[in-house]
Amino acid sequence: MFTRKTLLKTTSCLLLLACILLGSFPQINHAEEDLLDFAEKSGFPVKEPYRPKASIVIDADSGQILWEDQPDLSWSPASIAKVMTMYLAFEAMEQEKFNLDTTVTATEQYVAISQIYALSNNKISLGVDYPVRDLFSMVAVPSSNVATLMLANLVSDNDEADFIRKMNDKAAELGMSNTTYFNCSGAQISAFDGLYQAPGIDPNGENKSTARDLAILTYNLIKKYPDILQFTSKPVVKTMPDTPYEETFETYNYSLPGAKYGYDGVDGLKTGSSPTGAFNYIATAKKGDVRLIEVILGVGDWSDQAGEYERHLAGNAILDHAFSTYEYKKLLSKGPNTIDQKEIILEQDFYGFIKKNTEPSFTLKDGQLALKSDYGQVSPEIPVQTVSYQESEPKAVDNESVKKNTRQPSTTKNADHNYLVSSILAVFGILLLVFSRVFRKRVAGVRRGSRKTSTTTTRLLFTVGVLLILSAISVWIFL
């Protein structure tokens, strides 16, 4: 005779068998967030051949990651390398070595470099003094290689190898652990036809970085030197205005408002492309009080110049996804709060980024409260934002009150729950039996004259249906 325990074990086995049988059907795995899916919804559709090889989005204020895909993939940044050159130039100005009005005189070397067709450049005239502010615009917008070298030589007193060492030292200092520089512009030294000399540096060496490292660089650049945005925010710029050497340049950053794929809030920062790096892009955008930074690497293929535009569709879609998925708001108020059943007192209001329509979770450690996030910080060098707290004194407990307020288990509620479970199992079992019968008739209609009218599918549906009904009976009687 079966005991209650034996029947429960039998029921469990039947349910396990049903799960195994059901698991034999092919399952479709839907990623929680897929670029091609949300890009279509955002109005910036991305085709599979133009899916970035790597990408990342971070909050420009806290360094919190809001999106990432292969953020540590080693990649050639191409002309995005110029961002580090501009960083070191701003740092030199902070150290009062020169200012935006300081000029660099065009030498024969610079004129010759400006005439190398294979390099992106602008016109440079012999003997003309070019202000640093115009060199910044030439580097940021037309991605001029000669202007980049002029700026780098100003920082390093014309010691080109020393400047490259400064680039690598700064990368290490900022926590860019997977970045190596061999030149100041993104174009190999060998591409300068002997006009760019850096003793001790491999002339054929190619710069390497990652989406994460470039996000770290941009985070520090905007934090420390926000004036960089005045050189990257306009779709059209003029250099050397009101002089015989005036030039007008249209940006390659087609996500700037007013450009081909303008996205509201974008005000920088730099594009880059090369045969090995394909099409890359660093963008920053601000909406309200929120500023985001994104890095897009490896869009398309160098042989298909459509990637120059497609990178901005991908960039816009990812930015839009981050802005629409996350919100920055007050998460906790100053004063008493209960976190993980612990009573604490916050010293001030606590703000942070969380996904919309979700509840935040927190960590408490050493008197500091921090927000738990899906992806964490872009760098361990950038600490998580915290707020100080103190633990509250435990309140005296009235045992009688606790007894009165303690809810006793409800037998009726448990019984209702068991009836509901058994009913659901029975309904699904009956439906599967009906489906097996319907499919059996269809097969019979197709195979007229044949006695064999069942298939693996019909037998499977029938078996699972019976198991579910048996399970329902067991739950109803014994649980």
Side-chain angles (χ1 to χ4, degrees), residues 34-35 51 114 140 230 253 297 339 350 372 379 412 459:
D34 183 79
L35 170 58
R51 183 194 292 268
S114 72
Q230 70 176 289
N253 183 355
L297 297 179
I339 306 296
F350 183 65
K372 289 181 182 178
S379 166
T412 303
R459 289 195 298 271

Side-chain angles (χ1 to χ4, degrees), residues 190-330:
S190 58
F192 286 78
D193 296 342
L195 298 169
Y196 179 10
Q197 302 293 332
I201 306 296
D202 181 2
N204 296 308
E206 185 171 42
N207 299 331
K208 292 290 184 180
S209 192
T210 67
R212 181 189 304 276
D213 282 4
L214 293 168
I216 293 170
L217 172 61
T218 309
Y219 168 90
N220 284 280
L221 176 62
I222 294 175
K223 276 270 189 183
K224 297 175 183 177
Y225 312 114
D227 285 349
I228 181 63
L229 299 177
Q230 70 176 289
F231 300 105
T232 66
S233 58
K234 300 178 180 64
V236 179
V237 299
K238 286 185 178 181
T239 60
M240 304 294 285
D242 303 321
T243 73
Y245 314 104
E246 178 180 306
E247 289 185 272
T248 300
F249 301 102
E250 293 186 6
T251 183
Y252 291 114
N253 183 355
Y254 299 117
S255 291
L256 284 174
K260 184 178 179 68
Y261 296 113
Y263 184 85
D264 182 40
V266 171
D267 53 8
L269 191 83
K270 187 74 184 74
T271 61
S273 58
S274 70
T276 55
F279 296 92
N280 307 320
Y281 177 42
I282 296 178
T284 181
K286 186 175 183 181
K287 290 188 176 183
D289 295 329
V290 174
R291 176 177 291 281
L292 302 183
I293 294 167
E294 77 168 343
V295 181
I296 304 291
L297 297 179
V299 172
D301 185 87
W302 179 253
S303 61
D304 176 12
Q305 290 295 301
E308 180 179 335
Y309 301 99
E310 296 289 339
R311 65 184 165 195
H312 295 280
L313 289 174
N316 288 358
I318 293 174
L319 267 182
D320 191 72
H321 177 67
F323 274 119
S324 61
T325 302
Y326 285 85
E327 61 181 339
Y328 183 77
K329 66 178 185 178
K330 183 168 73 172

Side-chain angles (χ1 to χ4, degrees), residues 112-172:
I113 291 173
S114 72
Q115 295 172 352
I116 298 176
Y117 178 76
L119 299 177
S120 56
N121 269 314
N122 66 292
K123 296 176 182 177
I124 294 292
S125 298
L126 185 63
V128 174
D129 293 330
Y130 290 87
V132 167
R133 69 175 69 254
D134 289 280
L135 293 178
F136 269 118
S137 293
M138 295 170 185
V139 172
V141 182
S143 200
S144 170
N145 281 272
V146 64
T148 304
L149 188 57
M150 292 167 74
L151 202 55
N153 284 344
L154 178 62
V155 173
S156 65
D157 296 325
N158 294 305
D159 188 336
E160 293 162 344
D162 181 62
F163 185 81
I164 296 171
R165 286 191 288 270
K166 288 180 185 294
M167 295 176 77
N168 286 298
D169 290 345
K170 183 56 63 175

